[in-house]
Amino acid sequence: GLNNDEVSRLMEQVAQLPDTKKNLRLRAILSLLTLQGLRQCEVVRLNVRDIDFANGVMHVRGKGHDDTEPVHLHPTTQSILRKYMEDCKIADGALFVSWSNNNRNQRMTTKSLRRIVKDTLMALEIYKPVHGFRHYFTTTLLKEYKGDLLQVARYTRHKSLEMLQVYDDSIKQKADLP
């Protein structure tokens, strides 16, 4: 996954970009990946009606699920999403749509999301996959909650503690290296 330095560099660079529709969309996507730990499929499945600014919650359709799970919005994510939706005049339907000629105004695909994020990462010479944001989010929580897998599972929406154990073992292994 990404490390703190890479995420800091990325966020600093993106924050300095002018407020174009393209850059606002990029900030919104990166915020959902970094600060909320959403999976790529969860980001592209978001609809405007899933965002509840009044209660600071979004309703996420998780991996392989038709039902939604409430996820509390980080204040920064809330601010970024609000600006993205207002400036880009997004009032209903999919939160992220394609702007390409082939699929204009259709829901963005995970492939498109990966390309947008990967191009941004490569421009900063960060050669990590988009799933690296989820690793970053999960390992950050594991460190903050001192390995409390149940607490971390509440935020990452992992159904299996065994999967979280893999992240935790990786952290412990790095700490044990001489």
Side-chain angles (χ1 to χ4, degrees):
L2 280 83
N3 61 40
N4 288 332
D5 178 56
E6 292 166 334
V7 169
S8 293
R9 281 191 310 146
L10 175 65
M11 292 312 197
E12 284 174 26
Q13 187 71 28
V14 171
Q16 294 175 14
L17 296 172
D19 284 349
T20 64
K21 286 183 176 186
K22 180 180 176 183
N23 292 337
L24 291 169
R25 179 173 74 169
L26 176 63
R27 281 187 203 121
I29 290 169
L30 290 174
S31 183
L32 290 166
L33 294 170
T34 308
L35 300 175
Q36 304 295 156
L38 294 190
R39 298 171 178 97
Q40 297 163 57
C41 66
E42 293 170 338
V43 172
V44 299
R45 288 179 187 164
L46 281 172
N47 293 313
V48 171
R49 71 174 179 264
D50 297 329
I51 311 296
D52 178 359
F53 289 119
N55 294 307
V57 172
M58 67 181 154
H59 300 279
V60 176
R61 271 175 295 294
K63 185 171 128 182
H65 300 287
D66 291 330
D67 55 336
T68 62
E69 298 177 68
V71 173
H72 292 279
L73 285 166
H74 186 284
T76 302
T77 302
Q78 190 164 342
S79 172
I80 289 171
L81 285 177
R82 191 181 301 270
K83 180 155 181 61
Y84 164 67
M85 291 169 66
E86 286 173 5
D87 288 13
C88 296
K89 297 176 179 31
I90 300 169
D92 65 343
L95 189 60
F96 299 104
V97 296
S98 174
W99 295 341
S100 73
N101 289 332
N102 294 340
N103 299 317
R104 185 170 302 278
N105 297 325
Q106 306 248 343
R107 184 177 299 278
M108 179 186 284
T109 63
T110 54
K111 183 178 179 181
S112 295
L113 181 137
R114 271 193 303 278
R115 183 184 40 75
I116 290 166
V117 175
K118 193 168 189 162
D119 289 351
T120 305
L121 291 173
M122 288 178 66
L124 292 171
E125 297 182 355
I126 299 172
Y127 304 105
K128 304 276 178 80
V130 177
H131 190 71
F133 286 97
R134 186 136 168 95
H135 282 266
Y136 168 79
F137 181 77
T138 304
T139 55
T140 300
L141 286 177
L142 280 166
K143 289 174 187 174
E144 286 295 315
Y145 287 112
K146 297 176 178 46
D148 184 345
L149 299 180
L150 289 174
Q151 185 71 7
V152 172
R154 290 179 50 220
Y155 295 102
T156 63
R157 297 165 329 283
H158 280 98
K159 300 299 178 213
S160 161
L161 291 183
E162 287 85 23
M163 188 63 231
L164 282 176
Q165 188 65 48
V166 171
Y167 289 98
D168 196 40
D169 288 346
S170 175
I171 293 169
K172 289 176 181 171
Q173 187 178 22
K174 283 183 183 176
D176 289 343
L177 287 173

